[in-house]
Amino acid sequence: MNWLLLKSDAQIKANVSLLSETILLKYKDTITVVNTDKIMTDEAFASCCGILTKGEHVIICDETFAVAEKDSVLANRQNLLLGILIGRNIPVFSVSPVVTPFVNYQIRVFDTEEQMAAGLNSSYKTLQLQDLRQSAFGELMQMGIPFTPDCFATYVEKDKIDICQKFLDAGMDVNIRESSGTPMLNIAVRSETPEIVEWLLKKGANINAISKDRGYSAVMDAVWKKNVDITKILVARGADLSFVSKEGQSILVLAVGIGDVEVCRILADHGADPDIKDQMGMSAYEYAALFKKDDIVAVLAPHHREREN
C-alpha cells in the first residue's frame, strides 16, 4: 500500500521516528513524507492537492495540523485538503487535534502515536483487503467490464482466469449465480474448460450447487457433456454422486442415456448407485439392459445389488 505521512518541518528536521512508521515499514509499504509547513504556503498550496491524492492512505502526525481559529485562511486550506481526501475516499489517520466537520467520516483520530500504531497493526489486513478490492474494481472499470454476475459468468465461460480473479479481488462471491440461476462452476463445466473448473474449486466454489435451469449439479453437467476429464476432476474432489435431478434422474441414468461407457465406469467405480429408480420406476442398470447396451451392463453389473448369483 502507498502511504502519505504528513509531518511538520520541525519533525522532519528532528528526524522524528513514529511508531506508526515502524509498523508500516514492517509490512514493506511505500511511505512518502510530506512537509505540512511547505504545502500550506501560498506558493505550494496549488500543487499540494495533487500530491495528497497520490496516496492510498494518509497519516497526519503534525500537532499544528488543526483548524486555527485565528487563521481563517489556514483553516479553509486544511478543510479543503481534508475534503479532497474524503471525496476521493482516502482513509486518514491522525494523532493531531483535527477539529473539522470531517472527523465523523473516514478520519480516525488517536490520542497518541502508540494508539495509532496499535490501531494500524490490528486493522492492517482489513485495510489491505479494502485496497485490493478498490484496485481490482478500478481495473475492471478501466477495461470497460461491469462488475455484475453476468459479466463474471461471461469471463468464466471464456476461460479468462486473470479477469475472473479481478472479479473475486473486487469482492465478487465465487458462488454467485448468473441471472438465470446457474452457478459459475456449472458454467465452467458446460463450457468444458477444466482449468477454470479447477480454479473455481480452489477458490471455494460449491461443488454440489444445483442450477435452476436443468436442475443439474456440476458433475451431472459434466456427464451430460460427455466430458471424461472434467467428470474425473469433480469425482476426485468429492462431488455427490447420489443426487437426483428435478426430473428424477440419477447421475447413472443420465450417463446410461448418453451412452458413454467410460463415464459410466468412473461413476460406478466411485460409488454411484446403478439401482436408483427414476420417476418411471427404472434404474440405470435396467435401462442399460433394456436397450441392450451390453458394454455398459458389464460395467454396472459388479455394482448391481439385484444381480443373479
Side-chain angles (χ1 to χ4, degrees):
M1 292 190 283
N2 295 321
W3 294 76
L4 293 182
L5 188 58
L6 306 189
K7 288 184 177 182
S8 67
D9 188 53
Q11 287 175 308
I12 293 174
K13 290 179 178 178
N15 194 26
V16 177
S17 178
L18 299 174
L19 290 176
S20 58
E21 196 169 355
T22 304
I23 290 293
L24 299 183
L25 287 173
K26 181 178 77 173
Y27 294 113
K28 298 182 179 179
D29 285 349
T30 300
I31 305 172
T32 302
V33 177
V34 179
N35 189 321
T36 53
D37 292 323
K38 290 184 178 179
I39 65 173
M40 286 299 179
T41 63
D42 292 335
E43 297 79 12
F45 185 74
S47 61
C48 73
C49 296
I51 296 173
L52 290 178
T53 57
K54 292 180 181 179
E56 297 169 337
H57 302 274
V58 172
I59 292 176
I60 301 173
C61 49
D62 178 1
E63 67 280 358
T64 65
F65 198 84
V67 174
E69 296 181 359
K70 297 181 179 180
D71 190 338
S72 60
V73 174
L74 180 60
N76 288 335
R77 287 178 179 176
Q78 290 174 344
N79 280 331
L80 177 59
L81 292 179
L82 293 171
I84 291 172
L85 296 175
I86 294 287
R88 293 179 63 88
N89 200 32
I90 298 175
V92 178
F93 304 86
S94 176
V95 288
S96 302
V98 183
V99 186
T100 76
F102 306 118
V103 292
N104 293 324
Y105 292 87
Q106 67 213 47
I107 298 179
R108 293 182 58 187
V109 179
F110 299 88
D111 292 334
T112 66
E113 294 172 9
E114 289 82 0
Q115 287 181 3
M116 181 173 68
L120 290 175
N121 196 31
S122 63
S123 61
Y124 185 83
K125 289 185 178 180
T126 300
L127 295 172
Q128 195 175 42
L129 178 60
Q130 290 173 348
D131 276 9
L132 177 63
R133 287 188 172 182
Q134 290 180 0
S135 176
F137 184 83
E139 289 178 26
L140 289 172
M141 293 301 100
Q142 287 179 357
M143 291 187 286
I145 301 174
F147 185 67
T148 66
D150 283 355
C151 283
F152 183 27
T154 296
Y155 287 95
V156 167
E157 189 174 12
K158 292 179 178 180
D159 197 21
K160 299 291 187 180
I161 292 179
D162 54 340
I163 295 179
C164 288
Q165 182 62 58
K166 293 186 187 302
F167 274 93
L168 296 191
D169 289 344
M172 187 70 73
D173 186 349
V174 71
N175 286 306
I176 201 165
R177 298 164 181 257
E178 48 89 80
S179 55
S180 68
T182 305
M184 297 301 152
L185 184 59
N186 293 65
I187 290 171
V189 170
R190 295 176 188 182
S191 302
E192 300 189 83
T193 50
E195 293 82 7
I196 204 161
V197 168
E198 291 267 26
W199 178 79
L200 286 168
L201 289 171
K202 289 178 181 178
K203 295 298 178 178
N206 181 359
I207 196 170
N208 294 316
I210 308 303
S211 65
K212 290 185 177 180
D213 51 3
R214 301 187 188 123
Y216 283 2
S217 63
V219 70
M220 290 191 83
D221 272 324
V223 170
W224 176 70
K225 296 291 289 188
K226 299 184 182 181
N227 194 306
V228 173
D229 291 338
I230 293 180
T231 300
K232 286 180 178 179
I233 290 171
L234 295 169
V235 168
R237 289 297 193 98
D240 183 5
L241 303 183
S242 65
F243 173 74
V244 176
S245 75
K246 66 180 181 181
E247 296 178 351
Q249 284 183 318
S250 71
I251 194 165
L252 268 177
V253 165
L254 179 62
V256 170
I258 64 172
D260 193 298
V261 179
E262 182 59 22
V263 168
C264 289
R265 188 188 314 279
I266 293 168
L267 297 175
D269 287 349
H270 285 84
D273 189 347
D275 297 316
I276 296 176
K277 306 286 187 180
D278 66 5
Q279 292 178 335
M280 301 295 293
M282 293 283 289
S283 69
Y285 181 84
E286 290 170 331
Y287 277 122
L290 177 65
F291 293 106
K292 302 186 184 304
K293 298 183 178 183
D294 296 337
D295 47 359
I296 295 180
V297 170
V299 167
L300 300 183
H303 309 280
H304 175 45
R305 292 190 301 272
E306 301 173 2
R307 63 183 183 278
E308 294 181 358
N309 295 324

